[in-house]
Amino acid sequence: MPRPRRHMGRPGTRVIPADWQATHAAVVAKTLTSSVLIAEPGDGEPVFNPDTHQSETPLGATSYDGPATIMLVSDSDQAPEVAGEDVPTRRYEVKLTHAAAGVKPGHILQVTACQDPDLGPGVRLIVDTVERGTQRFSRVLYATLTH
């Protein structure tokens, strides 16, 4: 009869290496095919942009300007009505490089390049959630498009 194993692996050896996210960051960076600029909301009144069909708040200090991946995660079937018009709401998952820091809920995400035809340059989203974790190799945030 075989003897049961008492130890799996080497005792004291980490299952996930301490620098895991830094080691894999280069692999993830190759999947970031879009680019975004993320900034604090600036001062001043919103101005309607006929190209993006959005009222745009001036941008404040930039917290991120670089590559990203943008994926639609939810699209409301029942758009809320505002001032007599349906306002569709879409939620996107946005992945940034692991080194990205300083992005907070309420910041404005402006698309500068994207493969998705619904998210052309200039379209703005509002950051509503930023996920953080010690074993991540990218920054993940969720942003909402309402217009």
Side-chain angles (χ1 to χ4, degrees):
M1 174 186 250
R3 289 182 18 185
R5 289 187 72 178
R6 292 184 182 196
H7 299 287
M8 298 300 284
R10 295 184 194 150
T13 302
R14 290 179 59 113
V15 175
I16 299 174
D19 63 347
W20 181 77
Q21 65 275 22
T23 303
H24 288 79
V27 175
V28 173
K30 294 176 184 177
T31 68
L32 304 178
T33 58
S34 299
S35 60
V36 299
L37 180 132
I38 303 174
E40 297 174 359
D43 295 330
E45 293 296 315
V47 176
F48 183 75
N49 181 337
D51 295 330
T52 62
H53 304 285
Q54 291 181 289
S55 291
E56 298 177 353
T57 302
L59 297 177
T62 299
S63 54
Y64 181 81
D65 186 3
T69 295
I70 308 170
M71 296 184 311
L72 180 67
V73 291
S74 69
D75 194 353
S76 67
D77 293 334
Q78 297 179 355
E81 190 175 304
V82 176
E85 292 186 31
D86 287 341
V87 180
T89 302
R90 294 185 184 103
R91 193 161 193 239
Y92 292 87
E93 179 184 273
V94 181
K95 290 185 182 179
L96 309 174
T97 60
H98 180 266
V103 178
K104 297 178 183 171
H107 281 191
I108 298 168
L109 182 151
Q110 181 168 308
V111 177
T112 53
C114 186
Q115 304 277 337
D116 186 335
D118 292 333
L119 289 175
V123 171
R124 290 184 176 188
L125 310 172
I126 303 298
V127 176
D128 45 59
T129 307
V130 178
E131 291 186 356
R132 303 197 191 289
T134 58
Q135 299 302 327
R136 290 197 178 270
F137 43 77
S138 63
R139 289 279 176 241
V140 177
L141 54 97
Y142 293 91
T144 304
L145 170 69
T146 56
H147 65 79

